[in-house]
Amino acid sequence: MGDDRAGGVGGADRIAEFIEPLRVKPGSRVRLAEDFDPGFRAGIRKKKDGVELLRGGTELLADYQQRLAAQDTYGVLLCLQALDAGGKDGTIRHVMSGVNPQGVRVVGFKIPSNDELDHDYLWRYSRNLPGRGEIGIFNRSHYEEVLVVRVHPDNLRRQKLPDAARGPDVWERRYREINDWERYLTDNGFRIVKVFLNLSKEEQRTRFLKRIDVPERNWKFSSADVRERAYWDDYQQAFSQMLSATSTRWAPWYVVPADHKWFARVCAAAVLVHTLMDIDPQYPQVSDEKRRELAEVREDLEAEAPAGAAPDPYEATEKQNRPKTKKNKKNGKSEKGEKGEKNKKNKKNKKNKKAFS
Protein backbone atom coordinates (compact mmCIF):
# COMPACT_ATOMS: atom_id res chain seq x y z
CA MET A 1 0.00 0.00 0.00
CA GLY A 2 2.82 2.37 0.87
CA ASP A 3 0.85 4.80 3.05
CA ASP A 4 2.64 5.41 6.36
CA ARG A 5 -0.22 7.49 7.70
CA ALA A 6 -2.58 4.58 7.24
CA GLY A 7 -0.10 2.23 8.85
CA GLY A 8 1.01 0.80 5.49
CA VAL A 9 0.08 -2.81 4.80
CA GLY A 10 -0.25 -3.40 8.52
CA GLY A 11 -2.87 -0.67 8.74
CA ALA A 12 -4.85 -2.22 5.90
CA ASP A 13 -4.66 -5.60 7.62
CA ARG A 14 -5.94 -4.18 10.92
CA ILE A 15 -8.88 -2.49 9.24
CA ALA A 16 -9.67 -5.68 7.33
CA GLU A 17 -9.62 -7.61 10.60
CA PHE A 18 -11.92 -5.06 12.23
CA ILE A 19 -14.59 -5.26 9.50
CA GLU A 20 -14.34 -9.01 8.83
CA PRO A 21 -17.07 -9.95 11.38
CA LEU A 22 -19.42 -7.59 9.51
CA ARG A 23 -18.80 -9.11 6.08
CA VAL A 24 -21.35 -11.50 4.61
CA LYS A 25 -19.38 -14.39 3.21
CA PRO A 26 -20.32 -14.89 -0.46
CA GLY A 27 -22.45 -18.00 -0.88
CA SER A 28 -23.46 -18.15 2.78
CA ARG A 29 -27.05 -18.33 3.98
CA VAL A 30 -27.93 -15.40 6.22
CA ARG A 31 -30.43 -15.55 9.07
CA LEU A 32 -30.31 -11.93 10.11
CA ALA A 33 -31.75 -12.30 13.62
CA GLU A 34 -29.36 -15.16 14.45
CA ASP A 35 -26.18 -14.19 12.62
CA PHE A 36 -25.80 -10.47 13.37
CA ASP A 37 -26.27 -8.60 16.65
CA PRO A 38 -27.49 -4.98 16.20
CA GLY A 39 -25.90 -4.08 19.55
CA PHE A 40 -22.40 -5.43 18.78
CA ARG A 41 -19.56 -2.99 19.58
CA ALA A 42 -16.39 -5.06 18.96
CA GLY A 43 -15.20 -4.51 22.53
CA ILE A 44 -15.27 -0.69 22.21
CA ARG A 45 -17.22 0.28 25.32
CA LYS A 46 -16.90 4.07 25.45
CA LYS A 47 -18.44 6.41 22.93
CA LYS A 48 -15.48 8.80 23.27
CA ASP A 49 -13.15 6.06 22.04
CA GLY A 50 -15.42 5.55 19.05
CA VAL A 51 -15.38 9.27 18.33
CA GLU A 52 -11.57 9.22 18.24
CA LEU A 53 -11.61 6.29 15.84
CA LEU A 54 -14.12 8.05 13.60
CA ARG A 55 -11.99 11.21 13.56
CA GLY A 56 -9.02 9.19 12.36
CA GLY A 57 -11.20 7.50 9.75
CA THR A 58 -12.53 10.77 8.33
CA GLU A 59 -8.97 12.09 8.00
CA LEU A 60 -7.96 9.01 6.05
CA LEU A 61 -11.04 9.34 3.86
CA ALA A 62 -10.18 12.97 3.06
CA ASP A 63 -6.65 11.98 2.04
CA TYR A 64 -7.74 9.05 -0.13
CA GLN A 65 -10.56 11.03 -1.72
CA GLN A 66 -8.09 13.66 -2.93
CA ARG A 67 -5.95 10.95 -4.48
CA LEU A 68 -8.98 9.23 -6.00
CA ALA A 69 -10.03 12.49 -7.67
CA ALA A 70 -6.48 13.26 -8.86
CA GLN A 71 -5.95 9.82 -10.37
CA ASP A 72 -9.35 9.97 -12.12
CA THR A 73 -9.38 6.23 -12.85
CA TYR A 74 -11.65 4.59 -10.29
CA GLY A 75 -15.06 5.53 -8.91
CA VAL A 76 -16.63 4.32 -5.67
CA LEU A 77 -20.32 3.74 -4.99
CA LEU A 78 -21.49 3.41 -1.38
CA CYS A 79 -24.93 1.78 -1.09
CA LEU A 80 -26.64 2.38 2.25
CA GLN A 81 -29.66 0.29 3.19
CA ALA A 82 -31.59 0.35 6.46
CA LEU A 83 -35.06 0.37 7.89
CA ASP A 84 -36.59 3.70 8.92
CA ALA A 85 -34.57 5.42 11.69
CA GLY A 86 -31.62 3.16 10.88
CA GLY A 87 -29.21 6.12 10.77
CA LYS A 88 -28.45 6.50 7.07
CA ASP A 89 -28.50 10.32 7.06
CA GLY A 90 -26.35 10.60 10.20
CA THR A 91 -23.87 8.07 8.84
CA ILE A 92 -23.44 10.08 5.65
CA ARG A 93 -23.12 13.37 7.57
CA HIS A 94 -20.49 12.12 10.03
CA VAL A 95 -18.45 9.72 7.90
CA MET A 96 -18.11 12.16 5.00
CA SER A 97 -17.58 15.23 7.21
CA GLY A 98 -13.97 15.79 6.13
CA VAL A 99 -14.13 15.16 2.40
CA ASN A 100 -14.32 17.69 -0.41
CA PRO A 101 -18.03 18.05 -1.34
CA GLN A 102 -17.03 18.48 -5.00
CA GLY A 103 -15.89 14.86 -5.09
CA VAL A 104 -18.99 13.34 -3.47
CA ARG A 105 -22.52 12.92 -4.79
CA VAL A 106 -25.37 11.79 -2.54
CA VAL A 107 -28.59 10.58 -4.12
CA GLY A 108 -31.71 9.51 -2.25
CA PHE A 109 -34.31 7.37 -3.99
CA LYS A 110 -37.97 7.83 -3.18
CA ILE A 111 -41.10 6.46 -4.86
CA PRO A 112 -40.34 6.21 -8.61
CA SER A 113 -41.85 8.83 -10.88
CA ASN A 114 -44.00 8.04 -13.92
CA ASP A 115 -40.99 8.70 -16.15
CA GLU A 116 -38.87 6.28 -14.12
CA LEU A 117 -41.61 3.63 -14.26
CA ASP A 118 -41.48 3.86 -18.06
CA HIS A 119 -37.96 2.39 -17.96
CA ASP A 120 -36.34 -0.76 -16.60
CA TYR A 121 -36.00 -0.93 -12.82
CA LEU A 122 -32.23 -0.23 -12.82
CA TRP A 123 -32.49 2.78 -15.13
CA ARG A 124 -32.83 5.49 -12.50
CA TYR A 125 -29.90 4.08 -10.54
CA SER A 126 -27.66 3.87 -13.61
CA ARG A 127 -28.33 7.54 -14.33
CA ASN A 128 -26.98 8.55 -10.93
CA LEU A 129 -23.76 6.53 -10.79
CA PRO A 130 -20.59 8.38 -9.77
CA GLY A 131 -17.98 9.28 -12.36
CA ARG A 132 -14.33 8.32 -12.22
CA GLY A 133 -12.60 10.07 -9.35
CA GLU A 134 -15.87 10.45 -7.45
CA ILE A 135 -17.49 8.83 -4.43
CA GLY A 136 -21.20 8.32 -4.96
CA ILE A 137 -23.62 7.52 -2.14
CA PHE A 138 -27.02 5.94 -2.66
CA ASN A 139 -29.22 6.70 0.35
CA ARG A 140 -31.39 3.66 -0.31
CA SER A 141 -30.37 2.01 -3.54
CA HIS A 142 -31.27 -0.46 -6.27
CA TYR A 143 -31.82 -2.97 -3.46
CA GLU A 144 -35.16 -1.31 -2.80
CA GLU A 145 -36.26 -3.30 -5.87
CA VAL A 146 -35.92 -6.57 -3.93
CA LEU A 147 -36.94 -5.19 -0.54
CA VAL A 148 -39.84 -2.73 -0.41
CA VAL A 149 -41.07 -3.92 -3.81
CA ARG A 150 -41.06 -7.49 -2.50
CA VAL A 151 -42.72 -6.67 0.80
CA HIS A 152 -45.38 -4.62 -1.02
CA PRO A 153 -46.28 -6.47 -4.26
CA ASP A 154 -48.43 -3.54 -5.47
CA ASN A 155 -45.17 -1.76 -6.28
CA LEU A 156 -44.21 -4.54 -8.66
CA ARG A 157 -47.54 -4.27 -10.45
CA ARG A 158 -46.96 -0.53 -10.97
CA GLN A 159 -43.71 -1.22 -12.83
CA LYS A 160 -45.63 -2.06 -16.02
CA LEU A 161 -43.83 -5.36 -16.49
CA PRO A 162 -45.03 -7.98 -18.99
CA ASP A 163 -46.87 -10.85 -17.34
CA ALA A 164 -43.95 -13.21 -17.99
CA ALA A 165 -41.60 -10.90 -16.05
CA ARG A 166 -43.77 -11.03 -12.93
CA GLY A 167 -43.62 -14.78 -12.44
CA PRO A 168 -42.56 -16.64 -9.28
CA ASP A 169 -38.89 -16.45 -10.28
CA VAL A 170 -38.84 -12.62 -10.40
CA TRP A 171 -36.75 -12.22 -7.23
CA GLU A 172 -34.15 -14.81 -8.13
CA ARG A 173 -33.88 -13.19 -11.54
CA ARG A 174 -33.42 -9.75 -10.03
CA TYR A 175 -30.71 -11.02 -7.70
CA ARG A 176 -28.86 -12.37 -10.74
CA GLU A 177 -29.36 -9.17 -12.74
CA ILE A 178 -28.12 -6.99 -9.87
CA ASN A 179 -25.07 -9.20 -9.35
CA ASP A 180 -24.27 -9.07 -13.07
CA TRP A 181 -24.71 -5.27 -13.15
CA GLU A 182 -22.40 -4.80 -10.17
CA ARG A 183 -19.85 -7.16 -11.73
CA TYR A 184 -19.97 -5.09 -14.92
CA LEU A 185 -19.39 -1.86 -12.96
CA THR A 186 -16.53 -3.39 -10.97
CA ASP A 187 -14.86 -4.69 -14.13
CA ASN A 188 -14.95 -1.13 -15.47
CA GLY A 189 -13.27 0.45 -12.44
CA PHE A 190 -16.23 1.27 -10.20
CA ARG A 191 -16.05 -0.31 -6.77
CA ILE A 192 -19.32 -1.13 -5.00
CA VAL A 193 -19.42 -0.77 -1.20
CA LYS A 194 -22.63 -2.17 0.32
CA VAL A 195 -23.55 -1.39 3.93
CA PHE A 196 -26.70 -2.56 5.69
CA LEU A 197 -27.34 -0.71 8.97
CA ASN A 198 -28.84 -3.43 11.17
CA LEU A 199 -31.24 -1.90 13.69
CA SER A 200 -33.14 -3.77 16.40
CA LYS A 201 -36.90 -3.41 16.67
CA GLU A 202 -36.66 -1.94 20.18
CA GLU A 203 -34.08 0.65 19.15
CA GLN A 204 -36.28 1.67 16.23
CA ARG A 205 -39.19 2.15 18.66
CA THR A 206 -36.99 4.32 20.89
CA ARG A 207 -35.87 6.49 17.98
CA PHE A 208 -39.42 6.95 16.75
CA LEU A 209 -40.47 8.14 20.21
CA LYS A 210 -37.54 10.56 20.34
CA ARG A 211 -38.67 12.05 17.05
CA ILE A 212 -42.05 12.67 18.64
CA ASP A 213 -40.77 13.88 22.03
CA VAL A 214 -38.12 16.32 20.77
CA PRO A 215 -39.74 19.25 18.90
CA GLU A 216 -36.65 19.80 16.73
CA ARG A 217 -37.02 16.23 15.46
CA ASN A 218 -40.75 16.28 14.76
CA TRP A 219 -40.12 16.99 11.10
CA LYS A 220 -38.32 13.65 10.76
CA PHE A 221 -41.30 11.64 11.96
CA SER A 222 -43.82 10.15 9.57
CA SER A 223 -46.81 8.03 10.48
CA ALA A 224 -45.98 5.99 7.38
CA ASP A 225 -42.79 4.85 9.15
CA VAL A 226 -44.86 3.35 11.95
CA ARG A 227 -47.20 1.66 9.47
CA GLU A 228 -44.15 0.15 7.78
CA ARG A 229 -43.00 -1.16 11.17
CA ALA A 230 -45.94 -3.58 11.06
CA TYR A 231 -44.05 -5.43 8.28
CA TRP A 232 -40.95 -5.93 10.45
CA ASP A 233 -40.82 -9.72 10.06
CA ASP A 234 -41.36 -9.50 6.30
CA TYR A 235 -38.47 -7.07 5.99
CA GLN A 236 -36.20 -9.24 8.13
CA GLN A 237 -36.86 -12.13 5.79
CA ALA A 238 -36.37 -9.98 2.68
CA PHE A 239 -33.08 -8.61 4.05
CA SER A 240 -31.86 -12.09 4.91
CA GLN A 241 -32.59 -13.40 1.42
CA MET A 242 -31.08 -10.31 -0.23
CA LEU A 243 -27.85 -10.60 1.78
CA SER A 244 -27.59 -14.31 1.01
CA ALA A 245 -28.11 -13.89 -2.72
CA THR A 246 -26.18 -10.69 -3.48
CA SER A 247 -23.07 -10.71 -1.28
CA THR A 248 -20.46 -11.47 -3.93
CA ARG A 249 -16.70 -11.60 -4.13
CA TRP A 250 -16.64 -8.36 -6.16
CA ALA A 251 -19.32 -6.57 -4.09
CA PRO A 252 -19.79 -8.09 -0.62
CA TRP A 253 -22.32 -6.89 1.91
CA TYR A 254 -21.32 -5.58 5.34
CA VAL A 255 -23.93 -5.83 8.08
CA VAL A 256 -23.17 -2.94 10.43
CA PRO A 257 -24.61 -3.01 13.98
CA ALA A 258 -26.71 0.15 14.18
CA ASP A 259 -28.14 0.27 17.71
CA HIS A 260 -25.19 2.50 18.73
CA LYS A 261 -24.97 5.29 16.17
CA TRP A 262 -21.36 6.16 16.93
CA PHE A 263 -20.25 2.56 16.41
CA ALA A 264 -22.21 2.26 13.15
CA ARG A 265 -20.38 5.34 11.85
CA VAL A 266 -16.99 3.92 12.82
CA CYS A 267 -17.83 0.69 10.97
CA ALA A 268 -19.10 2.45 7.85
CA ALA A 269 -15.97 4.61 7.74
CA ALA A 270 -13.76 1.53 8.16
CA VAL A 271 -15.48 -0.30 5.29
CA LEU A 272 -15.11 2.71 2.98
CA VAL A 273 -11.49 3.34 4.00
CA HIS A 274 -10.67 -0.32 3.43
CA THR A 275 -12.03 -0.09 -0.12
CA LEU A 276 -10.00 3.03 -0.88
CA MET A 277 -6.84 1.52 0.61
CA ASP A 278 -7.34 -1.49 -1.63
CA ILE A 279 -7.62 0.77 -4.68
CA ASP A 280 -4.61 2.75 -3.40
CA PRO A 281 -5.05 5.72 -5.78
CA GLN A 282 -1.92 7.74 -6.51
CA TYR A 283 -1.29 11.30 -7.63
CA PRO A 284 -0.35 11.42 -11.34
CA GLN A 285 3.37 11.49 -12.11
CA VAL A 286 4.61 14.72 -13.69
CA SER A 287 6.75 14.34 -16.82
CA ASP A 288 10.27 15.81 -17.08
CA GLU A 289 9.01 18.30 -19.65
CA LYS A 290 6.27 19.43 -17.27
CA ARG A 291 8.80 19.78 -14.43
CA ARG A 292 10.99 22.02 -16.59
CA GLU A 293 7.94 24.13 -17.40
CA LEU A 294 7.07 24.42 -13.71
CA ALA A 295 10.65 25.45 -12.88
CA GLU A 296 10.52 28.25 -15.47
CA VAL A 297 7.18 29.51 -14.18
CA ARG A 298 8.51 29.35 -10.62
CA GLU A 299 11.44 31.60 -11.53
CA ASP A 300 9.10 34.13 -13.13
CA LEU A 301 6.83 34.19 -10.06
CA GLU A 302 9.78 34.54 -7.67
CA ALA A 303 11.04 37.50 -9.69
CA GLU A 304 7.73 39.27 -9.06
CA ALA A 305 8.18 39.21 -5.26
CA PRO A 306 7.78 42.73 -3.77
CA ALA A 307 10.63 44.26 -1.76
CA GLY A 308 11.05 42.58 1.62
CA ALA A 309 8.93 39.55 0.73
CA ALA A 310 10.28 36.04 0.37
CA PRO A 311 10.60 34.99 -3.28
CA ASP A 312 8.63 31.82 -2.41
CA PRO A 313 6.61 32.28 0.81
CA TYR A 314 5.49 28.63 0.86
CA GLU A 315 9.03 27.29 0.63
CA ALA A 316 10.18 29.74 3.30
CA THR A 317 7.44 28.57 5.67
CA GLU A 318 8.24 24.92 5.02
CA LYS A 319 11.94 25.50 5.65
CA GLN A 320 11.14 27.29 8.89
CA ASN A 321 9.03 24.37 10.11
CA ARG A 322 11.59 21.68 9.37
CA PRO A 323 13.15 19.92 12.40
CA LYS A 324 16.31 21.60 13.66
CA THR A 325 19.66 19.94 13.02
CA LYS A 326 22.46 20.03 15.59
CA LYS A 327 24.13 22.81 13.64
CA ASN A 328 21.22 25.24 13.76
CA LYS A 329 19.48 23.97 16.91
CA LYS A 330 21.07 26.74 18.98
CA ASN A 331 19.81 29.45 16.63
CA GLY A 332 16.27 28.07 16.74
CA LYS A 333 15.75 28.21 20.52
CA SER A 334 13.74 31.39 20.33
CA GLU A 335 11.27 29.73 17.94
CA LYS A 336 10.69 26.72 20.15
CA GLY A 337 7.66 28.05 21.98
CA GLU A 338 6.04 29.35 18.82
CA LYS A 339 6.28 25.97 17.12
CA GLY A 340 5.34 23.92 20.14
CA GLU A 341 1.61 24.20 19.59
CA LYS A 342 1.92 23.28 15.91
CA ASN A 343 3.99 20.20 16.73
CA LYS A 344 1.40 19.11 19.30
CA LYS A 345 -1.31 19.44 16.68
CA ASN A 346 0.65 17.39 14.15
CA LYS A 347 1.27 14.67 16.75
CA LYS A 348 -2.46 14.60 17.56
CA ASN A 349 -3.37 14.17 13.89
CA LYS A 350 -0.90 11.30 13.53
CA LYS A 351 -2.31 9.72 16.67
CA ASN A 352 -5.84 9.83 15.25
CA LYS A 353 -4.77 8.12 12.06
CA LYS A 354 -2.77 5.45 13.87
CA ALA A 355 -5.67 4.78 16.23
CA PHE A 356 -8.08 4.16 13.39
CA SER A 357 -5.70 2.02 11.38
Side-chain angles (χ1 to χ4, degrees):
M1 297 294 180
D3 188 350
D4 293 337
R5 287 169 294 177
V9 175
D13 289 343
R14 286 193 292 273
I15 293 177
E17 183 180 355
F18 176 75
I19 65 176
E20 183 58 29
L22 316 177
R23 180 174 171 268
V24 176
K25 184 179 178 181
S28 64
R29 182 185 175 190
V30 175
R31 296 171 297 276
L32 194 56
E34 300 174 23
D35 297 335
F36 294 97
D37 176 11
F40 178 68
R41 288 185 291 180
I44 305 173
R45 300 195 174 278
K46 297 181 180 179
K47 180 178 178 179
K48 67 176 184 179
D49 295 332
V51 170
E52 285 299 312
L53 289 173
L54 183 58
R55 183 178 295 115
T58 55
E59 289 177 0
L60 284 174
L61 276 177
D63 178 35
Y64 275 104
Q65 184 219 11
Q66 287 184 2
R67 289 199 256 159
L68 186 78
Q71 189 183 60
D72 198 28
T73 302
Y74 291 91
V76 175
L77 173 64
L78 172 61
C79 299
L80 277 177
Q81 288 294 150
L83 289 170
D84 297 313
K88 297 185 301 299
D89 293 344
T91 296
I92 295 170
R93 185 171 64 253
H94 285 82
V95 171
M96 309 306 292
S97 60
V99 302
N100 185 342
Q102 293 184 95
V104 178
R105 285 200 299 154
V106 181
V107 183
F109 293 97
K110 306 294 185 182
I111 298 172
S113 66
N114 288 331
D115 184 41
E116 289 169 337
L117 289 171
D118 276 336
H119 296 82
D120 66 273
Y121 72 93
L122 288 176
W123 180 75
R124 65 173 180 159
Y125 307 102
S126 298
R127 297 177 69 222
N128 287 284
L129 288 169
R132 301 191 191 279
E134 292 183 329
I135 297 175
I137 301 175
F138 283 179
N139 185 343
R140 299 187 187 272
S141 69
H142 45 291
Y143 284 97
E144 292 291 284
E145 306 298 335
V146 292
L147 291 170
V148 66
V149 177
R150 184 169 190 172
V151 172
H152 298 286
D154 284 346
N155 290 312
L156 186 64
R157 286 190 281 272
R158 280 196 290 269
Q159 291 186 348
K160 306 179 183 180
L161 296 168
D163 291 341
R166 287 190 280 116
D169 65 338
V170 59
W171 309 118
E172 293 301 323
R173 190 179 70 248
R174 286 196 172 188
Y175 293 147
R176 173 177 52 80
E177 291 164 349
I178 288 172
N179 287 340
D180 289 345
W181 184 58
E182 292 178 349
R183 180 64 181 267
Y184 164 77
L185 293 173
T186 302
D187 287 346
N188 282 275
F190 294 90
R191 297 290 295 273
I192 315 297
V193 183
K194 301 187 298 194
V195 171
F196 168 53
L197 299 174
N198 187 26
L199 188 70
S200 70
K201 193 173 185 179
E202 174 57 19
E203 179 62 21
Q204 187 193 56
R205 185 181 76 89
T206 300
R207 292 183 186 181
F208 280 168
L209 286 170
K210 188 172 183 178
R211 290 180 178 183
I212 295 172
D213 294 339
V214 180
E216 293 78 12
R217 293 176 180 261
N218 288 170
W219 66 273
K220 297 187 74 173
F221 181 77
S222 169
S223 57
D225 295 343
V226 176
R227 289 196 299 271
E228 204 69 5
R229 181 175 164 84
Y231 296 92
W232 179 272
D233 292 339
D234 295 330
Y235 273 110
Q236 294 298 296
Q237 183 178 2
F239 276 121
S240 295
Q241 292 176 342
M242 174 202 76
L243 294 168
S244 301
T246 61
S247 189
T248 59
R249 178 177 53 80
W250 53 90
W253 273 103
Y254 292 89
V255 179
V256 167
D259 277 7
H260 303 283
K261 292 180 180 179
W262 58 268
F263 185 72
R265 293 160 187 168
V266 170
C267 293
V271 171
L272 190 52
V273 166
H274 180 260
T275 300
L276 288 166
M277 290 178 75
D278 188 55
I279 295 172
D280 195 23
Q282 301 294 320
Y283 290 108
Q285 294 294 317
V286 178
S287 66
D288 292 339
E289 181 181 354
K290 183 66 174 179
R291 288 186 184 280
R292 286 192 293 271
E293 179 186 342
L294 292 174
E296 292 174 1
V297 173
R298 185 176 190 274
E299 289 180 3
D300 292 340
L301 291 172
E302 288 179 339
E304 294 178 12
D312 187 339
Y314 176 77
E315 184 186 52
T317 302
E318 287 294 296
K319 187 179 293 185
Q320 187 179 15
N321 290 333
R322 285 173 194 153
K324 298 292 181 182
T325 62
K326 288 184 179 180
K327 185 176 180 181
N328 62 11
K329 205 171 189 178
K330 186 176 180 181
N331 296 332
K333 281 185 178 179
S334 60
E335 300 173 4
K336 186 175 180 181
E338 182 181 338
K339 295 179 182 177
E341 289 302 314
K342 184 165 186 174
N343 289 336
K344 286 181 183 178
K345 185 177 180 181
N346 290 336
K347 287 179 181 178
K348 185 177 180 181
N349 289 337
K350 289 180 181 178
K351 182 180 178 182
N352 288 335
K353 294 184 179 181
K354 286 180 179 178
F356 187 82
S357 59

